[in-house]
Amino acid sequence: MSGRRDFIKSAGMTVASLAVGGAKPMEATKDNGGVGSSPIRRPNIILIVSDEHQAKTCGCYGSEVKRVDGLSPTPHIDALASEGVRFDSMYCASPLCAPSRAAYMTGTYPHTTTALHHKMQNSEAGLSRYPGVLEGIPGMGSYLKGAGYRTAAYGKMHVHGEEVDGWDLGFEERGLRFYTRFPGKHYADLKGGDVNKRYREMSPYLDSKYRDIDSRRFAHAPEDLTVRQNGLNEYYLETLVEFEDEMVDELITDRSIEFMEKNAAGGEPFFVHVGLEKPHRPWTIHQKFLDRFDPRTMPLPSTIGEWKEKGFLPFVQSWCHTSVEGDEARNSTAAYYACASAVDDCVGRIMNKCRELDILENTVVIYTSDHGESLYEHGLIEKHNMLDPSARVPFIIRAPWAVPKGEVRNDPASLIDMIPTFCDLSGAEGSPLFEGESLISLIERKQDPERMVFSEFYQSGSVSNPTEFLPVRMGLNRKRKYIYTHAAADQLYDRLNGGEAHLKNLAFDEANEAEVSKLKLCTLDAWELDEYPQLKSEARVSANGVSLFWEDAGFGATYDIYRATESDPRGADRIASGLSSYFYADESARGGEKYFYWVLAHYAVSLPFADSRGKSRFGKEKIKVDGFPRALPLSPRMEVEVLAGFEETFAYEPLLGCSFDGLDWIYIGMPPRKLTQGAVLEGPVSVLTPYPVSDRCVFEAEMQTAKPGPGDRDVLRMVLRYLNMRQCYYVELDRKGSLSLWKRTGEWSQDLLKAVDLDDAWPDESQLIRVETDSGQIAVFLGDRQMISVADAEPYLGGRCGFEAPRYLRDGYLRKVRIVS
């Protein structure tokens, strides 16, 4: 297990134990490479984070678009760039809002935070601690607050784990939360939620006609056009919000400025996170911003309609492909720019206030976004992929005493670098948890010139495997971008020669096989997902050297062996490749040395791919794995000392693991409480076997829902054939005495396979439930009585088994758990 995970799992780890106090103020005359001197006082920090802002739509990033007055679409952001450093290769840690925000808010990658996706069991942040950032990992504000800063965060946060009355991420003042449920501190508190509904275009407005909503403002809208029919603002209409000063970003900027004014004259420095919401959809804004752009002049990507002829991109989600083209796409693009222009105005207001308060020379100002937006590149919208329009973000830092003016850096960087940077600039003490590095060191060229940064994505709906939650990880250095997509072909793009823009996948060329293998190792090393364990492996030392053994990665898989004398995989040498066996002897290992080994599997990518319309973008090129592996194709990092008798098994150790009734489990959500016999579950949580069980299995447990939730079905469930949170079977005994077998087929969809009404069994009493499965046959027993027998014609096969406690359930007891596989 890595040192980082040892630290995370160490006993008694709390926010207080992570040394967020003990500030070390910067020296008043510290030399920063000739840039300038440190401020007399610790600097204020203003972090402005928009949502879904594609980097190259900013003027300073080379946007082709001009406003009708001839100005850049983002003059204030451009001005900030002229006064600081603009990063040209800044990437989000995930091209999805919640995981990206949890990552930059903690300085760690999503697999470390455990906040991998938007929600579990349809639970949002704000009301429930779980699912979310692993308890004990501090939020960004904690580091600055511990260093004596006044801290505030207004606007969009969307960090799972933040609660109204619980974890505050280290911010003393919070307000105007958006999207997640945060009663009392939410934009929806304004006017009883009506403004929020108008802004987000929700019911009751979604299916209303524009002219019925406001006959004056929407007089030029098509007569019967509904809000739903204008999802990408193809008709170039303004927002439903009646007044500009009720727009969420206006209010967020107002509150942030009030906080700045209140603290600027004080003796303590301040840190404010300004969480702007635009240019996230809906791409509607007030008319004055729309009037800044002429849709007829909007350039469209040359690739906007390519998927219609070439086929869907197999590596992205199907619904991200859009058929909008021509004038409608120009209207839509202009609307996006108008929303970005409104964000730019907010940046300008904040910078003007800094000048008015005379604090600019003692204030760090950063502008960035949580991820990008495809904006019709390759016919895509939204994010959800690792291509640059989605994963690359604008990032500008202004700190005149610490960074030069007007400089552009192309070093690979990540949003998780922000907290180390703040600690560097403020003197706040950092944490061993950090997986990022200070950008100040990078600017001063003290960082590794071959640095790699990563981005992760873990959602369902990809074209190649639409029903699976697909692990995707990108590893990027100065020259190359590598993308691992589970159960699909590797991708490798040349960053220096525009290879990604043309989707020229160098991984298809056998001449690049060694480079692909090495980048795959670097990208997957230390990537730890409890639901996709690493390959189990074993090392033994004998007179003949080091012998390595590993588990089968599936039919047709081949294996590479890497060895390093340092733990960094970039320094590892490939000492064997293309192996088809599960054994390798390293006879060149020298006695007394310490080595690090990896077994890297290559799943058999054997199938070409055609989309639902029969279109095959890559022709006969092999794109898919036949089947779906349930493990990542890399062993844990094996540390081996070449000493007589050395023998060790390296098995994946879950971050969220537990044991009870003699069995090991992983959990997603609230941690189980172990009892002398059995365990207690509190929702929301899924408790699962670490590895899949066989298609023929007996699974039983004594279950009792001591404190059910308010709904009839808020009871403890037995889960079987769990493939992911949207594909499984489960058995429940509800509060009406009905024993039922369900098949979950999506986020919101589930099928009742069979139910039996009982008169003598209730969930608040202890019940022995047993499930026997044999391929598509499922039988459910209550005690010794068989109550349900179902033959599913389209069964889920394999998968895990376990238990599920819905969100409102308290005290679900498990005892006498038994699995016979």
Side-chain angles (χ1 to χ4, degrees):
M1 183 169 61
S2 68
R4 175 182 55 82
R5 282 217 163 180
D6 284 333
F7 183 78
I8 294 171
K9 297 182 69 153
S10 61
M13 190 192 78
T14 63
V15 171
S17 74
L18 288 177
V20 296
K24 301 174 182 177
M26 300 175 69
E27 298 176 14
T29 58
K30 179 181 175 184
D31 184 11
N32 287 279
V35 171
S37 298
S38 297
I40 300 301
R41 295 182 291 125
R42 283 166 290 162
N44 307 309
I45 300 174
I46 300 172
L47 173 59
I48 307 169
V49 183
S50 63
D51 196 307
E52 208 157 306
H53 197 173
Q54 186 193 100
K56 72 175 188 178
T57 62
C58 298
C60 57
Y61 280 90
S63 174
E64 303 174 49
V65 172
K66 298 291 184 183
R67 297 180 358 177
V68 294
D69 59 7
L71 292 178
S72 156
T74 54
H76 298 295
I77 293 172
D78 300 349
L80 183 65
S82 71
E83 298 173 3
V85 173
R86 170 169 66 83
F87 280 82
D88 209 35
S89 293
M90 178 64 72
Y91 286 83
C92 60
S94 177
L96 186 64
C97 297
S100 174
R101 290 169 175 271
Y104 82 66
M105 192 53 60
T106 59
T108 62
Y109 283 110
H111 73 276
T112 299
T113 68
T114 73
L116 294 171
H117 22 64
H118 266 310
K119 52 191 172 182
M120 183 187 81
Q121 295 186 6
N122 302 321
S123 299
E124 295 288 1
L127 297 183
S128 173
R129 180 68 178 80
Y130 291 93
V133 175
L134 184 64
E135 193 164 11
I137 299 180
M140 180 181 281
S142 302
Y143 296 94
L144 281 304
K145 181 180 177 182
Y149 277 68
R150 298 298 308 277
T151 60
Y154 301 111
K156 191 165 188 176
M157 185 62 70
H158 199 183
V159 173
H160 289 309
E162 184 189 20
E163 293 179 297
V164 178
D165 298 315
W167 188 41
D168 60 12
L169 302 164
F171 294 108
E172 298 166 299
E173 297 186 25
R174 297 179 291 167
L176 289 170
R177 286 293 180 265
F178 186 89
Y179 189 73
T180 49
R181 299 170 68 190
F182 227 79
K185 292 181 172 66
H186 199 282
Y187 178 54
D189 298 329
L190 187 66
K191 289 189 174 180
D194 180 66
V195 175
N196 180 57
K197 292 173 183 176
R198 286 175 177 266
Y199 182 97
R200 292 185 62 190
E201 300 181 354
M202 303 163 62
S203 293
Y205 300 103
L206 184 59
D207 291 307
S208 299
K209 297 177 183 178
Y210 276 97
R211 292 193 181 187
D212 290 344
I213 294 171
D214 193 319
S215 59
R216 179 185 60 83
R217 287 203 297 143
F218 300 118
H220 60 293
E223 184 175 358
D224 294 321
L225 182 71
T226 67
V227 174
R228 186 189 296 274
Q229 293 168 335
N230 191 35
L232 295 175
N233 204 1
E234 302 97 313
Y235 293 90
Y236 211 51
L237 301 176
E238 64 176 324
T239 178
L240 302 182
V241 178
E242 296 176 281
F243 305 106
E244 188 178 330
D245 61 4
E246 291 180 339
M247 293 292 282
V248 64
D249 285 351
E250 289 291 319
L251 295 168
I252 291 163
T253 303
D254 289 344
R255 289 286 296 275
S256 299
I257 286 174
E258 289 172 9
F259 180 81
M260 291 161 54
E261 290 174 329
K262 181 174 64 175
N263 290 282
E268 295 299 324
F270 66 81
F271 168 51
V272 58
H273 179 287
V274 185
L276 303 179
E277 205 277 330
K278 290 299 184 190
H280 191 285
R281 287 173 61 196
W283 293 336
T284 49
I285 197 76
H286 280 91
Q287 193 64 44
K288 84 170 191 181
F289 297 102
L290 295 174
D291 289 343
R292 291 179 179 178
F293 298 91
D294 182 353
R296 296 170 298 179
T297 66
M298 283 294 136
L300 295 177
S302 61
T303 58
I304 185 170
E306 67 177 17
W307 67 265
K308 293 182 179 180
E309 294 300 321
K310 294 183 178 180
F312 283 161
L313 282 166
F315 308 107
V316 304
Q317 292 181 309
S318 59
W319 63 267
C320 290
H321 296 77
T322 178
S323 58
V324 175
E325 291 184 81
D327 289 343
E328 289 186 343
R330 289 186 179 89
N331 285 343
S332 178
T333 301
Y336 177 86
Y337 271 93
C339 292
S341 182
V343 167
D344 186 72
D345 275 17
C346 293
V347 174
R349 288 181 59 201
I350 289 170
M351 294 302 292
N352 288 336
K353 180 55 64 173
C354 287
R355 294 185 184 95
E356 180 185 318
L357 296 172
D358 195 24
I359 61 173
L360 260 183
E361 299 313 300
N362 193 60
T363 299
V364 180
V365 182
I366 289 177
Y367 175 77
T368 189
S369 195
D370 60 348
H371 50 72
E373 158 63 48
S374 296
L375 199 61
Y376 299 110
E377 295 278 356
H378 303 292
L380 304 175
I381 57 167
E382 294 269 355
K383 48 274 187 183
H384 311 288
N385 65 76
M386 294 300 176
L387 299 178
D388 267 13
S390 175
R392 176 175 170 248
V393 295
F395 189 94
I396 299 161
I397 178 170
R398 184 193 189 280
W401 66 94
V403 305
K405 291 185 178 181
E407 186 168 301
V408 178
R409 299 304 298 263
N410 197 34
D411 310 75
S414 171
L415 290 181
I416 68 170
D417 294 333
M418 285 198 290
I419 302 182
T421 303
F422 294 155
C423 290
D424 197 352
L425 288 168
S426 68
E429 191 166 350
S431 165
L433 278 174
F434 290 161
E435 294 176 284
E437 303 177 49
S438 171
L439 296 172
I440 304 305
S441 297
L442 189 151
I443 292 169
E444 295 175 351
R445 298 188 183 278
K446 294 179 182 178
Q447 284 189 324
D448 182 353
E450 297 303 316
R451 184 191 188 198
M452 290 187 71
V453 297
F454 306 97
S455 188
E456 307 171 7
F457 184 64
Y458 182 65
Q459 289 289 120
S460 66
S462 78
V463 172
S464 60
N465 281 281
T467 61
E468 295 288 355
F469 269 70
L470 212 63
V472 178
R473 198 173 209 227
M474 177 197 76
L476 176 142
N477 59 28
R478 284 175 178 266
K479 298 179 181 179
R480 303 294 203 202
K481 176 190 282 190
Y482 167 80
I483 304 172
Y484 172 80
T485 303
H486 195 65
D490 295 311
Q491 297 172 76
L492 180 67
Y493 299 110
D494 183 346
R495 298 189 64 224
L496 301 182
N497 296 298
E500 180 188 312
H502 305 290
L503 296 180
K504 185 178 180 181
N505 186 2
L506 300 179
F508 289 155
D509 187 342
E510 187 63 25
N512 299 312
E513 180 274 331
E515 184 179 15
V516 171
S517 177
K518 186 63 172 288
L519 287 171
K520 183 175 182 178
L521 169 70
C522 296
T523 301
L524 298 186
D525 179 61
W527 189 33
E528 298 153 317
L529 299 172
D530 287 354
E531 292 184 68
Y532 286 84
Q534 297 161 327
L535 294 176
K536 186 177 180 180
S537 53
E538 183 181 351
R540 302 175 192 168
V541 174
S542 67
N544 295 325
V546 178
S547 295
L548 303 175
F549 307 84
W550 56 89
E551 66 177 312
D552 181 4
F555 178 77
T558 59
Y559 308 90
D560 295 347
I561 308 299
Y562 282 88
R563 186 184 74 184
T565 54
E566 300 291 338
S567 60
D568 187 349
R570 292 175 302 173
D573 294 319
R574 186 165 66 169
I575 59 175
S577 64
L579 302 177
S580 57
S581 63
Y582 318 127
F583 163 78
Y584 177 76
D586 179 13
E587 297 179 357
S588 66
R590 293 177 297 182
E593 293 285 342
K594 179 187 292 185
Y595 295 99
F596 295 86
Y597 290 93
W598 295 262
V599 177
L600 176 64
H602 300 287
Y603 294 127
V605 181
S606 58
L607 301 177
F609 176 79
D611 64 23
S612 57
R613 301 165 308 129
K615 301 285 186 178
S616 182
R617 173 182 288 266
F618 298 108
K620 295 181 179 180
E621 195 70 58
K622 295 174 181 177
I623 298 295
K624 283 191 63 175
V625 172
D626 188 3
F628 193 80
R630 298 289 167 186
L632 291 178
L634 183 67
S635 70
R637 186 183 300 180
M638 296 179 277
E639 184 176 337
V640 178
E641 291 192 67
V642 188
L643 300 174
F646 180 95
E647 183 174 331
E648 187 169 346
T649 298
F650 298 87
Y652 177 73
E653 184 175 342
L655 176 59
L656 301 182
C658 62
S659 299
F660 57 85
D661 275 18
L663 299 170
D664 294 327
W665 309 89
I666 63 170
Y667 64 90
I668 306 167
M670 287 282 289
R673 303 199 311 269
K674 184 178 180 179
L675 301 175
T676 304
Q677 291 183 330
V680 180
L681 306 186
E682 179 176 325
V685 65
S686 295
V687 177
L688 305 164
T689 55
Y691 298 94
V693 299
S694 71
D695 294 338
R696 190 171 185 176
C697 177
V698 176
F699 176 35
E700 68 178 22
E702 189 177 281
M703 301 165 56
Q704 180 183 6
T705 309
K707 296 180 180 178
D712 291 336
R713 299 183 57 210
D714 288 328
V715 295
L716 196 60
R717 297 167 181 167
M718 180 176 282
V719 178
L720 51 147
R721 300 275 176 84
Y722 180 99
L723 303 180
N724 55 61
M725 65 179 67
R726 297 179 185 175
Q727 285 186 292
C728 65
Y729 300 98
Y730 63 91
V731 176
E732 66 182 21
L733 177 62
D734 69 25
R735 296 176 71 179
K736 294 183 176 180
S738 178
L739 182 70
S740 53
L741 173 64
W742 295 81
K743 183 178 184 179
R744 186 173 293 153
T745 56
E747 181 178 5
W748 303 98
S749 55
Q750 51 196 350
D751 298 326
L752 176 62
L753 300 185
K754 193 166 184 179
V756 179
D757 292 330
L758 307 172
D759 295 326
D760 58 349
W762 309 100
D764 56 354
E765 300 171 352
S766 185
Q767 307 288 347
L768 182 65
I769 297 178
R770 183 171 83 255
V771 179
E772 297 182 0
T773 59
D774 188 352
S775 296
Q777 190 71 36
I778 303 173
V780 182
F781 295 79
L782 187 66
D784 293 329
R785 298 179 293 169
Q786 179 173 326
M787 310 303 299
I788 293 174
S789 179
V790 169
D792 189 353
E794 297 181 355
Y796 299 146
L797 298 177
R800 295 172 164 87
C801 58
F803 306 93
E804 182 177 274
R807 176 176 171 180
Y808 295 105
L809 186 149
R810 300 293 178 268
D811 293 352
Y813 285 84
L814 297 172
R815 306 177 187 88
K816 301 178 182 178
V817 181
R818 185 173 71 99
I819 302 173
V820 180
S821 183

